[in-house]
Amino acid sequence: MKKLLSVIFILVSVHAYSQSTFTGANECRIRILTDKKHYECITRHLEARINNSLERFEFVIPVESIRALNDSSDLAFIRRLAEGSGAIRINAELPGNQIDFSFLKTKPTTNLPGELVIGKLHFEEDVAFGGSMPADKLYFNFRFYLREGNRNLAQIDNENIIEIELAARGDKMVGLTSN
């Protein structure tokens, strides 16, 4: 009877883990440079997962988890930029469109095609992705850097956005979702 209960508990635990959508204990620093100010924020609630069906890494930053590093105007700017959206999203394609982390053993970082979605803004740029994969979990870091030379990326309340950088690191990523 004890063995049966143990097996049932393990099966329920595995099922609950596999139904998880994201994790929430990673860190991301957000830096935005405009023609008027340099904004910096941080969150320790970067959510991460590997989406097998869409063949990509997915990172979500809940806007309510973001904290200003300098003053409250930094956070207010991020919220205006998000335009009521609950999250900032970063996606990066899996290398070779498959779940094979051998690339982490050969290079410190690999550039993966990626995208950043903040409110109504959508940017496509490579994501510098790196990490290591011991037996029990994936340690990762990524950097999404966007600057369009002499062109402004966007305009928010009469401020021209010159560059956007998101730099993250973490060790909590939910594996293999099917949606």
Side-chain angles (χ1 to χ4, degrees):
M1 182 65 170
K2 278 186 175 181
K3 279 188 175 185
L4 179 60
L5 288 175
S6 295
V7 170
I8 291 171
F9 177 74
I10 291 170
L11 289 174
V12 169
S13 298
V14 169
H15 178 71
Y17 177 77
S18 69
Q19 295 300 311
S20 302
T21 54
F22 288 99
T23 61
N26 304 312
E27 178 179 289
C28 184
R29 187 177 195 119
I30 303 165
R31 189 181 64 77
I32 299 175
L33 178 65
T34 72
D35 57 353
K36 296 183 180 176
K37 190 172 180 206
H38 183 160
Y39 299 96
E40 282 193 272
C41 295
I42 192 166
T43 181
R44 297 201 192 303
H45 297 281
L46 171 71
E47 300 169 345
R49 74 178 179 182
I50 302 168
N51 189 320
N52 189 36
S53 65
L54 294 178
E55 300 172 337
R56 67 186 187 187
F57 295 105
E58 296 178 340
F59 303 96
V60 174
I61 302 167
V63 173
E64 74 274 354
S65 74
I66 299 172
R67 302 292 172 251
L69 285 177
N70 299 315
D71 62 57
S72 61
S73 68
D74 292 7
L75 185 55
F77 183 80
I78 295 288
R79 287 186 175 148
R80 284 193 315 272
L81 186 62
E83 296 183 356
S85 172
I88 296 171
R89 298 183 180 281
I90 304 102
N91 299 314
E93 287 183 21
L94 289 169
N97 294 327
Q98 60 184 336
I99 299 175
D100 174 10
F101 296 106
S102 60
F103 74 96
L104 294 174
K105 295 177 183 176
T106 58
K107 301 179 193 176
T109 61
T110 299
N111 287 331
L112 303 173
E115 65 181 344
L116 167 66
V117 179
I118 304 175
K120 294 179 183 173
L121 300 175
H122 181 265
F123 304 102
E124 292 185 6
E125 185 62 49
D126 283 351
V127 175
F129 186 88
S132 65
M133 191 172 164
D136 59 340
K137 60 176 125 179
L138 171 68
Y139 294 92
F140 69 88
N141 61 72
F142 74 80
R143 180 174 179 253
F144 185 96
Y145 177 76
L146 190 59
R147 182 179 179 104
E148 291 291 327
N150 296 328
R151 207 180 79 160
N152 295 322
L153 299 171
Q155 188 177 47
I156 303 295
D157 296 337
N158 297 320
E159 279 189 71
N160 296 310
I161 298 175
I162 298 168
E163 66 184 47
I164 299 172
E165 179 181 26
L166 287 90
R169 63 178 182 202
D171 65 355
K172 298 196 182 330
M173 182 178 289
V174 172
L176 300 187
T177 64
S178 59
N179 54 359

